Amino acid sequence: MTETHIEDVTAAAQRTITEIEKVIVGKREVVELAVAALICGGHCLIEDVPGVGKTMLARALAASAGCSFKRIQFTPDLLPSDITGTSIYNQGSTEFEFRKGPVFANVVLADEINRATPKTQSALLECMEEAQVTVDGITHTLPQPFFVIATENSVEMQGTYALPEAQLDRFLLRLHIGYPQRNEEVAVLERQLLHHPIADVEATLSPQTIRAFHAAVRRVFLAPGVKEYIVNIVAATRDHDAAALGASPRGSLNLMHASQGWAAVHGRDHVIPDDVKALAIPVLAHRILLRPEQRHRGLTAAAIVTEILGRTPVPGRT
């Protein structure tokens, strides 16, 4: 098999970004982050207020990926078996048959994930970490690539359940879209005047190319100083006075892999410190648990990461 080069990854990533921007206007960095997560093999959580395009971003990314796609609408009455599948007795064969749930797809949209109970949310833990499902003691492998992109309403608390720390830790990135600028909002109106542009999004990738990109991204070079820089940043989240819980070693690994994906999207075969800085908040902020008194003061995990970045020595600079 021919080895995939970073130039191929960059070109395909940029075409994918262009397709997604048919739907998502004026949010280039957010789109780039979502594509970086896809090509480096991580899962993505989009958290924001209603109506800013969370689901549309997920759908556009799925459409451009050229993969099998399933959408799961999370509700309080959703059961774990509604996600993973269940065993059903076949009277003809006198045996139990496993009926696959919607999680058996390359790209899975978990829409409004925080509306399901913690028990149902936890059904995704094994899926996201090990790309497999275990039902009745039998393990079923999920299709590859396997990518979960979840949305979460950050303002409406009634009828919702906060994601457990273990669930949050499975997401490579947490993204916020935000409101568009006025000229961008006008462009949104113009694009949707006659029909929705999601129908115009074309597939630029395939399961085969995404799997090849995963391998290519892992070959993006990290100098020893950059690896140490990543570890120093993550370790500082554990020692911070305002944090009850800092990022785990999974946070270090995710920051490294996300930085590799970000470098590849921007045409580099090596990670630079600015890549690490650009990914630090999306990768680490949702892994930091603030002390209650700090939350009451209005301090955010993103502010802690920003402060850590400001005082952590950058490799190659004096």
Side-chain angles (χ1 to χ4, degrees), residues 23-27 48-53 177-189:
V23 179
I24 305 299
V25 180
K27 301 297 178 182
D48 219 315
V49 299
V52 295
I177 298 177
Y179 291 117
Q181 300 293 325
R182 293 195 177 190
N183 63 317
E184 296 167 351
E185 197 161 355
V186 170
V188 172
L189 299 182

Side-chain angles (χ1 to χ4, degrees), residues 57-74:
L57 173 57
R59 288 181 59 193
L61 183 60
S64 62
C67 298
S68 61
F69 169 70
K70 293 289 180 64
R71 174 177 176 170
I72 307 172
Q73 190 65 49
F74 278 65

